[in-house]
Amino acid sequence: MRSVLRTDDLSLPDAASIFDLADWLLPRILPPDGPRRLKLDGLRGVSGALLFYEPSTRTRVSFELAAKLLGGDVVGISASGSSIEKGESLRDTAMTLEAMGFNLAVLRHRCADAAELFAGRFSGAVINGGTGRGEHPTQALLDAFTLRRHGLLEAGRGVLIVGDIANSRVMRSTAELLTRLGLRVTLCAPPSLLPPAWLGEGAPYAWTPDLDVALGKADALVLLRMQRERMDGAAHTGAAEYAKLYGLNARRLGLLRPGALIMHPGPVNRGVEVGEAVFADPRCAINAQVGNGVAIRAALLCWALGKDPRD
Ligand code: ASP
């Protein structure tokens, strides 16, 4: 059993074997020409708790779908309606689920260290499904996998991550993994949306505030949502001003390289970070990412639980 709490829990060979399995699973999970050819039973005997204490559509549904298509049993738990409302701690929830014989837990939580805390009291595999401003390792895997399927997961390729860097766990996980894979990550944001410590020397990634200049140098874009739920009430850029300065619109599509890929973890704010024209552009991979996310989460679950549906 292996847990994935952060992207650096995965070595590069681990990531490569997850990508290979996801490549095998994808046409079976989402066949281009007809109904799914699963059920496989790669996860038979797996009993999983999906604890989603923050809102989620893509991540929660793709974990559930992936586990079910591979023959695993999963139970969804949300904050409302569970004992968390009565003040039960995450530690006690972990011990309770362990006592019920669960051997897998996927956790989304508003605290950055929640997955570590949970894993300290749970002996099965723990997968971080997105924690606070901390990490979102399965988003990083699916972003890298999407680049790989487009032939862009190559050392030296430039990836531009645009928007609310300060509040983004996607940025932290995706930038870490892509950098380790040899890609060049540049952040593009106004100073107000960057962690203050990253403005000076010693910043972990290159940074530019000028989207129009940066667009022409990128092989791929990762657009981020303004995560207002994590903003502290300080003065922040309004939606209209953000769209003007950092939104990908029809004019900016013209500045982007012909073979570049446009990604976004979702949910998108249409008309703010993503203009309508983006969805009609052949470089837009936002929907492809969603399908890739199911295959990646299926592959990761198999890897974490030591199972291989190809056997
Ligand atoms: N879905 C992603 C996350 O959970 C990105 C977002 O919410 O904007 O972090």
Side-chain angles (χ1 to χ4, degrees):
M1 295 246 187
R2 294 178 274 210
S3 289
V4 180
L5 310 181
R6 320 157 42 90
T7 46
D8 59 14
D9 288 332
L10 295 164
S11 68
L12 294 186
D14 292 337
S17 71
I18 292 165
F19 296 150
D20 288 342
L21 179 52
D23 265 330
W24 185 86
L25 284 164
L26 187 58
R28 290 167 173 81
I29 287 176
L30 287 167
D33 54 357
R36 303 189 209 277
R37 279 192 280 279
L38 298 167
K39 282 198 151 184
L40 296 168
D41 60 3
L43 291 176
R44 186 128 348 259
V46 170
S47 184
L50 308 180
L51 298 116
F52 277 74
Y53 293 163
E54 264 195 342
S56 169
T57 301
R58 276 150 285 268
T59 308
R60 181 176 56 78
V61 175
S62 56
F63 268 116
E64 183 170 343
L65 182 60
K68 286 182 172 163
L69 290 172
L70 288 163
D73 285 322
V74 281
V75 174
I77 300 171
S78 58
S80 108
S82 72
S83 285
I84 199 166
E85 282 193 331
K86 300 181 186 169
E88 184 171 59
S89 71
L90 207 49
R91 284 198 185 98
D92 286 339
T93 301
M95 287 164 66
T96 302
L97 294 172
E98 177 149 344
M100 287 183 192
F102 283 96
N103 53 6
L104 163 73
V106 180
L107 179 67
R108 167 162 296 193
H109 199 280
R110 70 184 162 78
C111 298
D113 60 354
E116 278 81 4
L117 222 126
F118 191 95
R121 293 296 169 100
F122 187 79
S123 59
V126 180
I127 309 293
N128 182 339
T131 43
R133 294 187 184 90
E135 286 258 359
H136 197 347
T138 62
Q139 182 70 45
L141 282 170
L142 86 84
D143 290 348
F145 181 61
T146 302
L147 289 168
R148 180 171 122 141
R149 290 189 64 83
H150 287 84
L152 293 170
L153 196 65
E154 294 174 336
R157 292 284 191 176
V159 177
L160 189 67
I161 305 185
V162 186
D164 184 4
I165 306 291
N167 293 299
S168 176
R169 55 194 174 212
V170 171
M171 184 285 307
R172 279 172 188 74
S173 290
T174 295
E176 193 284 326
L177 183 63
L178 294 184
T179 303
R180 231 171 347 118
L181 285 160
L183 287 83
R184 288 179 301 104
V185 171
T186 303
L187 309 179
C188 182
S192 60
L193 291 179
L194 212 64
W198 292 11
L199 278 168
E201 290 201 1
Y205 303 105
W207 165 66
T208 172
D210 192 335
L211 180 59
D212 285 4
V213 172
L215 276 178
K217 301 179 191 154
D219 295 298
L221 299 180
V222 176
L223 305 173
L224 298 172
R225 182 176 65 87
M226 296 271 271
Q227 293 134 95
R228 297 193 187 274
E229 70 276 19
R230 274 181 225 119
M231 294 179 178
D232 51 13
H236 287 292
T237 325
E241 192 190 352
Y242 183 88
K244 197 163 146 242
L245 292 170
Y246 290 98
L248 189 61
N249 52 27
R251 178 185 68 78
R252 291 199 170 110
L253 284 171
L255 303 174
L256 195 58
R257 289 179 178 171
L261 206 63
I262 303 164
M263 302 195 290
H264 188 306
V268 300
N269 283 314
R270 287 181 188 245
V272 185
E273 74 274 7
V274 186
E276 279 303 330
V278 172
F279 293 93
D281 192 291
R283 294 166 293 185
C284 176
I286 298 175
N287 276 333
Q289 283 176 279
V290 177
N292 291 344
V294 183
I296 272 292
R297 290 180 176 116
L300 179 69
L301 290 180
C302 293
W303 177 88
L305 291 146
K307 312 257 186 190
D308 193 334
R310 295 167 293 192
D311 289 344

